[in-house]
């Protein structure tokens, strides 16, 4: 088991015991790891007989997480001033309130505890928490908190945490011997299987049942892909018209990144989406030594060395050359 200083477990237990109600939130545009981490924390709170609300600004675009959508809300329950003083905000798979996105309600001035694993993460002022950028998934950290605070994990929660770990590690493809946490994570995954998580069923949940429109969109994005920097970088993009035609549900960007990064000589891949006439989101993936979080941070984003994202003002045609320029600095 990965070594987390015992005081972090004590800090989290104290945080739970000293509040009556909890808000549990992850980042906007959630993925499987974000959803699983929130649900894992909810399971911990249930054990301690605490009331909570799961928050997410959405959207739940990825096919594998749509079944969890109704468990979350983008509207904060009403809390009077006395209730706010007894409410704790637990943030997972990100560390900043602004990364949570648009929530109808005031999340400011609450006691905060963070469980995160992003390279660019940092605790908000006066917040408590645990951040380990070497951890391959936030769900892995939540698993460790559950096991240390409570013990063996019930089958349903074990399956959810295995699902989260699977989505964030590319079903373990992204793990390397250079990351000291990799061996510990495999041990943790084995424990989840011993609790009842079924690797085959979870793999099928993650990868099967994609809408046909996503297969068509994948072809469009591959057709638009262009190489830069002597073929080391590939960038593709989705326009507003593409989204209107093919929809935004059931996204399968993992398959897109796999295809792009498997091309000869390619070291990094970027996918840009024009969400509104004035705003864009983007995903960054890389192999081995290229740290895409350095580029993402230049555009209001962040994440991991080999997987990051961003959301910012701008249009694809103006952002694209700026992104290429930032990659030229590190390639």
């Amino acid at each position: 088991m990965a070594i987390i200083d015992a005081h972090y477990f004590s800090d989290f237990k104290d945080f739970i015991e000293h509040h009556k109600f909890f808000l549990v939130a992850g980042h906007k545009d959630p993925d499987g790891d974000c959803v699983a981490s929130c649900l894992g924390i909810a399971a911990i709170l249930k054990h301690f007989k605490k009331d909570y609300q799961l928050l997410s600004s959405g959207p739940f675009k990825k096919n594998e997480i749509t079944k969890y959508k109704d468990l979350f809300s983008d509207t904060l329950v009403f809390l009077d001033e006395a209730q706010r003083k007894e409410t704790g905000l637990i943030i997972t798979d990100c560390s900043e309130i602004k990364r949570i996105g648009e929530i109808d309600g005031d999340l400011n001035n609450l006691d905060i505890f963070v469980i995160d694993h992003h390279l660019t993460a940092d605790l908000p002022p006066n917040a408590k928490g645990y951040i380990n950028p070497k951890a391959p998934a936030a769900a892995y950290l939540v698993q460790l908190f559950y096991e240390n605070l409570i013990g063996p994990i019930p089958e349903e929660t074990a399956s959810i945490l295995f699902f989260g770990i699977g989505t964030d590690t590319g079903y373990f493809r992204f793990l390397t011997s250079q990351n000291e946490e990799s061996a510990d994570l495999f041990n943790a995954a084995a424990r989840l299987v011993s609790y009842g998580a079924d690797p085959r069923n979870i793999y099928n949940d993650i990868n099967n049942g994609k809408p046909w429109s996503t297969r068509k969109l994948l072809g469009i994005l591959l057709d638009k892909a262009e190489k830069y920097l002597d073929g080391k970088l590939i960038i593709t993009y989705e326009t507003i018209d593409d989204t209107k035609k093919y929809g935004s549900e059931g996204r399968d960007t993992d398959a897109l990144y796999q295809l792009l990064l498997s091309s000869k000589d390619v070291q990094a891949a970027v996918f840009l989406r024009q969400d509104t006439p004035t705003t864009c989101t983007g995903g960054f993936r890389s192999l081995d030594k290229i740290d895409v979080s350095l580029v993402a941070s230049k555009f209001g984003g962040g994440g991991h060395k080999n997987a990051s994202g961003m959301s910012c003002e701008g249009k694809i045609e103006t952002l694209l050359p700026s992104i290429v320029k930032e990659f030229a600095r590190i390639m």
Side-chain angles (χ1 to χ4, degrees):
M1 184 181 296
I3 297 174
I4 298 179
D5 288 345
H7 77 84
Y8 290 110
F9 300 125
S10 297
D11 286 348
F12 192 40
K13 187 176 181 180
D14 288 343
F15 188 83
I16 293 172
E17 291 177 341
H18 284 81
H19 297 86
K20 290 186 177 181
F21 184 73
F22 295 87
L23 303 169
V24 182
H27 57 76
K28 60 184 177 181
D29 196 5
D31 54 14
D33 187 34
C34 179
V35 168
S37 300
C38 289
L39 294 176
I41 289 170
I44 294 174
L45 295 174
K46 283 181 183 178
H47 174 84
F48 286 100
K49 296 180 172 54
K50 297 290 185 175
D51 292 326
Y52 62 88
Q53 181 186 24
L54 293 169
L55 295 175
S56 177
S57 62
F60 285 70
K61 295 178 183 177
K62 299 178 184 297
N63 186 66
E64 63 269 24
I65 64 171
T66 54
K67 62 183 177 182
Y68 299 113
K69 179 179 179 180
D70 291 342
L71 299 176
F72 292 80
S73 175
D74 62 2
T75 302
L76 186 67
V77 296
F78 174 77
L79 299 170
D80 61 31
E81 284 304 311
Q83 290 171 323
R84 286 181 64 85
K85 292 178 181 179
E86 298 176 331
T87 297
L89 171 60
I90 302 176
I91 304 175
T92 186
D93 206 30
C94 69
S95 62
E96 299 172 291
I97 290 179
K98 67 178 182 180
R99 288 277 290 124
I100 295 174
E102 296 297 323
I103 297 293
D104 185 5
D106 185 9
L107 294 177
N108 294 302
N109 301 315
L110 294 171
D111 292 337
I112 297 175
F113 197 97
V114 173
I115 299 177
D116 191 20
H117 71 130
H118 288 94
L119 185 64
T120 53
D122 199 6
L123 288 176
N126 301 317
K128 293 184 177 181
Y130 179 74
I131 299 175
N132 182 353
K134 293 183 178 180
Y140 163 61
L141 297 178
V142 173
Q143 175 186 350
L144 298 181
F145 273 90
Y146 192 112
E147 289 173 320
N148 278 273
L149 292 180
I150 301 170
I153 302 175
E155 180 178 331
E156 182 180 1
T157 301
S159 298
I160 289 170
L161 292 174
F162 194 104
F163 165 81
I165 291 170
T167 56
D168 231 35
T169 63
Y171 225 74
F172 308 100
R173 297 193 319 273
F174 305 151
L175 303 182
T176 69
S177 60
Q178 285 74 39
N179 185 347
E180 62 193 48
E181 296 283 346
S182 292
D184 288 323
L185 183 133
F186 274 112
N187 288 327
R191 293 197 302 277
L192 293 176
V193 173
S194 74
Y195 301 143
D198 188 320
R200 180 174 63 179
N201 288 342
I202 293 170
Y203 179 87
N204 289 336
D205 286 343
I206 294 172
N207 292 285
N208 295 348
K210 308 293 185 185
W212 176 242
S213 59
T214 66
R215 310 299 91 183
K216 300 286 285 184
L217 178 60
L218 190 58
I220 297 297
L221 297 178
L222 289 173
D223 187 56
K224 291 181 178 181
E226 296 289 346
K227 286 186 173 183
Y228 300 87
L229 304 179
D230 298 323
K232 293 180 290 186
L233 172 67
I234 292 183
I235 299 180
T236 190
Y237 59 90
E238 176 182 333
T239 65
I240 293 177
D241 287 340
D242 292 332
T243 306
K244 288 179 180 178
K245 184 174 182 179
Y246 296 104
S248 60
E249 301 301 319
R251 291 313 180 100
D252 192 16
T253 50
D254 185 53
L256 174 65
Y257 293 127
Q258 274 189 264
L259 290 167
L260 296 179
L261 290 173
S262 64
S263 303
K264 184 179 179 181
D265 298 326
V266 173
Q267 298 177 25
V270 176
F271 168 49
L272 298 175
R273 182 190 300 119
Q274 192 76 51
D275 290 319
T276 73
T278 59
T279 61
C280 281
T281 54
F284 303 77
R285 299 293 186 273
S286 67
L287 302 173
D288 303 325
K289 298 180 180 179
I290 305 300
D291 187 350
V292 293
S293 70
L294 297 175
V295 178
S297 65
K298 299 292 185 179
F299 299 90
H304 310 291
K305 176 181 177 182
N306 300 124
S308 291
M310 64 88 168
S311 178
C312 68
E313 299 286 330
K315 296 185 177 183
I316 289 173
E317 55 266 32
T318 54
L319 285 172
L320 198 152
S322 298
I323 289 172
V324 173
K325 183 177 178 180
E326 292 301 328
F327 269 101
R329 301 177 190 275
I330 62 174
M331 284 184 151

